[in-house]
Amino acid sequence: MTSREFKYCFCPYDGLQLERPSGHADGVWAKCPQCGFVDYPNPKPCIGVIIEHAGRILLARRGEEPKRGMYDIPGGFVENGETVEAAVAREITEETSLQLVPAPAGASEPLRPGEFRYFASFPDEYGPHRTATVNLMFIAQAETDRFQAGSDVAELQWHSVDAVPTDLAFVHQQIAMQRFLGLYQGRADM
């Protein structure tokens, strides 16, 4: 499913065929004429964390489809009822066993070991149905270079910032890593 496709043809609540308004300015939603359900093609929120330690970046090799075996920035989907900060802490612990906490709000000084902060966001698509995603990317300083790969990760590897692979699993990761490395070159600390 791309960002312009509908998930439903029929209302999931009363079974009536959804109507797509003609002449609507954005034309990207469908509505049930009886109960008012609207099928907005909203993207699924995801997080990714570029983890740095001593001039190296931690990357995963995907253990599951899609893109099994490719390099991946650790991260995943935000769960229902979860903040993005909680998703960062949960996903990174699940995938790497590393513990991260948010940097103080509004802080501009370099990250301390074990901290993360927001970096940028990127739209993308995920999986064989091309589900629309919005990927909130974070940067982090690891407290240690020791980790344990989670069950959905084939392996974890540290890469020198001068030799980070460019063939990352998803387009948003490639763009995020290029932007990060461009900023990193001019900074002594994160």
Side-chain angles (χ1 to χ4, degrees), residues 155-172:
E155 68 177 320
L156 293 165
Q157 295 178 339
W158 289 106
H159 298 268
S160 166
V161 294
D162 298 328
V164 173
T166 58
D167 59 337
L168 299 176
F170 302 101
V171 172
H172 77 272

Side-chain angles (χ1 to χ4, degrees), residues 7-89:
K7 184 175 181 179
Y8 300 100
C9 292
F10 297 92
C11 180
Y13 299 104
D14 58 36
L16 290 179
Q17 186 167 358
L18 299 179
E19 297 176 350
R20 280 131 178 91
S22 60
H24 190 270
D26 60 19
V28 296
W29 54 270
K31 185 174 183 176
C32 177
Q34 182 169 315
C35 74
F37 166 79
V38 177
D39 181 12
Y40 293 108
N42 296 337
K44 293 190 176 291
C46 301
I47 61 91
V49 186
I50 299 172
I51 303 170
E52 191 268 339
H53 180 77
R56 297 178 299 161
I57 305 295
L58 185 62
L59 293 178
R61 278 216 188 258
R62 294 184 59 80
E64 306 288 335
E65 292 295 344
K67 312 282 186 170
R68 183 180 188 153
M70 292 191 72
Y71 282 115
D72 193 22
I73 293 172
F77 289 93
V78 178
E79 294 180 354
N80 285 339
E82 185 176 49
T83 66
V84 293
E85 294 85 0
V88 167

Side-chain angles (χ1 to χ4, degrees), residues 75 126 163:
Y126 181 84

Side-chain angles (χ1 to χ4, degrees), residues 171-185:
V171 172
H172 77 272
Q173 294 179 345
Q174 296 167 15
I175 297 167
M177 187 62 74
Q178 287 175 345
R179 188 177 295 175
F180 170 80
L181 292 173
L183 292 173
Y184 186 86
Q185 303 303 324

